[in-house]
Amino acid sequence: MPGPRRGTADGPCPIGRTADILGDRWALLIMRNATVGMTRFDEFKAELDIADNVLSGRLRQLVESGLLTRIPYRPEGGGRTRDEYRLTQAGEDLLPLLHAMMVWGNAHSESASPTRPMRLVHSTCGESFEPGRRCPRCRRRVPRSETAWIRPWRSDLAQVLGAAAAP
Amino acid sequence: MPGPRRGTADGPCPIGRTADILGDRWALLIMRNATVGMTRFDEFKAELDIADNVLSGRLRQLVESGLLTRIPYRPEGGGRTRDEYRLTQAGEDLLPLLHAMMVWGNAHSESASPTRPMRLVHSTCGESFEPGRRCPRCRRRVPRSETAWIRPWRSDLAQVLGAAAAP
DNA sequence: TCGTAGGCTTGCGTTAAGCAAGTCTGGAGG
DNA sequence: CCTCCAGACTTGCTTAACGCAAGCCTACGA
């Protein structure tokens, strides 16, 4: 933002410090998509409809903030090696925050084309759960690999975490 | 932001809709302070170190989004009647989101002057709790009136919700 | 009636977003 | 070995929004 931004990046309040990193629409949307399995520059660009200079800048900030890391990969169709952006532990730990955003959004905002609400479910049993709590059906802790976002407005089935797909 | 902002305010994803409202540093900080009991324009201005035109704009947006309402009050020291900004139900329901931000910030960011971490406690028994869950000591649901934020970096005791004080 | 104070608006310079075009790099193919 | 190619990233331009500062506007008190 204009003017010498007087940030609170190292202030005493943890909410203020978090707001300094995530108090940005694009940062939140990128981390949302990364959390559902998205990793590549052109995927983010196409899905978010974001200008590539802005995307490039945000990804760099998120890497600097320690939420993402760059890892080389070789595209399946051939081509030069490129980097993909994967969640760090700090990035994975955003799950409760994104879940809270989902719950609030389900309750207090409305879609132009209503569907059944988005849910976070335990992929091995299909039951809704809350991050940090045990699955109410299995009574087990839900590892990240068994986490799925149900997005009823999407017709495809690429909703399980790990299948790169966009909300 | 520049250019005709292509928002997702009514998109199908509730996280995207929430990001449209709260994907802004000032919006998050204002709602944080409102949640700990702050209500008045000059309080926000002084505590957040925000320009008054920006504060005015953000408060208007938050009222339009249904997170705050304006309520007239008469200043104790005399003076004309003014409006204060109080949380609506939607605003109060941000508690889990702010709590998740607190937890993440405690874990993954660092203060320039470290203290014991911020906590959300049940004010009648002093036990930490998570929004939506019962108090682990009392086994009772924690109403908003019994909610307190412990902010160890503040020496004063105005930490109980309802006493207008800033993080 | 006038002074005052706080909330809000306006104007100016600066930063960053959105857009579009260009650059840079390394693998593939000739 | 050289060239082509595709995609990530950079640069330049226009415009919106921030930070700052000054001014306005309005009830209440004197």
Side-chain angles (χ1 to χ4, degrees):
Chain A
M1 304 75 178
R5 167 175 170 177
R6 313 170 306 262
T8 38
D10 59 351
C13 176
I15 299 178
R17 298 198 301 270
T18 302
D20 231 67
I21 295 173
L22 291 172
D24 177 279
R25 200 173 86 91
W26 289 129
L28 288 171
L29 295 179
I30 290 170
M31 294 311 298
R32 173 195 66 177
N33 283 29
T35 296
V36 300
M38 190 171 282
T39 58
R40 301 184 185 178
F41 189 94
D42 56 343
E43 293 173 330
F44 287 112
K45 176 177 172 176
E47 177 60 33
L48 294 178
D49 193 24
I50 181 178
D52 40 7
N53 56 348
V54 179
L55 176 56
S56 167
R58 281 297 180 289
L59 288 172
R60 178 167 38 243
Q61 287 177 15
L62 292 170
V63 169
E64 285 172 4
S65 300
L67 305 191
L68 299 174
T69 21
R70 301 178 61 142
I71 298 190
Y73 75 98
R74 181 164 316 251
E76 41 290 321
R80 53 181 291 196
T81 57
R82 301 199 171 274
D83 287 347
E84 60 184 7
Y85 298 86
R86 306 192 84 98
L87 292 174
T88 61
Q89 186 60 50
E92 292 189 5
D93 287 353
L94 288 178
L95 190 65
L97 177 39
L98 293 169
H99 179 262
M101 290 180 68
M102 181 198 78
V103 171
W104 190 90
N106 278 334
H108 296 290
S109 67
E110 209 163 346
S111 170
S113 48
T115 62
R116 283 177 298 119
M118 185 182 187
R119 289 187 300 142
L120 182 65
V121 303
H122 186 190
S123 61
T124 60
C125 73
E127 186 77 10
S128 293
F129 76 100
E130 295 177 37
R133 305 186 69 166
R134 293 171 182 276
C135 172
R137 186 191 300 265
C138 313
R139 298 282 163 195
R140 294 194 295 115
R141 298 218 166 277
V142 180
R144 176 170 146 77
S145 58
E146 295 176 12
T147 294
W149 295 89
I150 300 297
R151 291 163 288 175
W153 62 92
R154 310 194 95 219
S155 49
D156 65 70
L157 294 176
Q159 298 188 351
V160 177
L161 209 159
Chain B
M1 302 73 179
R5 167 176 171 176
R6 312 171 307 260
T8 39
D10 58 353
C13 177
I15 299 178
R17 298 198 301 271
T18 302
D20 232 67
I21 296 173
L22 291 173
D24 177 280
R25 202 174 86 91
W26 289 129
L28 288 171
L29 295 179
I30 289 170
M31 293 311 298
R32 172 196 68 177
N33 284 28
T35 295
V36 299
M38 191 171 281
T39 59
R40 302 184 183 177
F41 189 93
D42 57 341
E43 292 173 330
F44 287 112
K45 177 177 172 177
E47 177 60 32
L48 294 178
D49 195 23
I50 182 177
D52 39 8
N53 56 348
V54 179
L55 176 57
S56 167
R58 281 296 180 289
L59 288 172
R60 177 167 39 243
Q61 286 177 15
L62 291 169
V63 168
E64 284 172 4
S65 299
L67 305 191
L68 299 174
T69 22
R70 303 179 59 144
I71 298 189
Y73 75 97
R74 181 165 316 250
E76 43 290 319
R80 54 181 290 196
T81 58
R82 300 199 172 275
D83 286 348
E84 60 183 7
Y85 298 86
R86 305 191 86 98
L87 292 174
T88 61
Q89 186 61 49
E92 292 189 6
D93 288 352
L94 288 178
L95 189 66
L97 176 39
L98 293 169
H99 180 262
M101 291 181 68
M102 181 197 79
V103 170
W104 190 89
N106 277 335
H108 296 290
S109 67
E110 209 162 346
S111 169
S113 48
T115 61
R116 284 178 296 119
M118 185 182 186
R119 290 187 299 143
L120 182 66
V121 304
H122 185 190
S123 60
T124 60
C125 74
E127 186 77 10
S128 293
F129 76 100
E130 296 177 36
R133 304 187 69 167
R134 293 172 183 276
C135 172
R137 186 193 298 266
C138 314
R139 298 282 164 194
R140 295 193 294 113
R141 298 219 167 276
V142 180
R144 178 171 145 77
S145 59
E146 295 176 11
T147 294
W149 295 90
I150 300 296
R151 291 163 287 175
W153 63 91
R154 310 194 94 220
S155 49
D156 63 70
L157 293 175
Q159 298 187 352
V160 177
L161 209 159

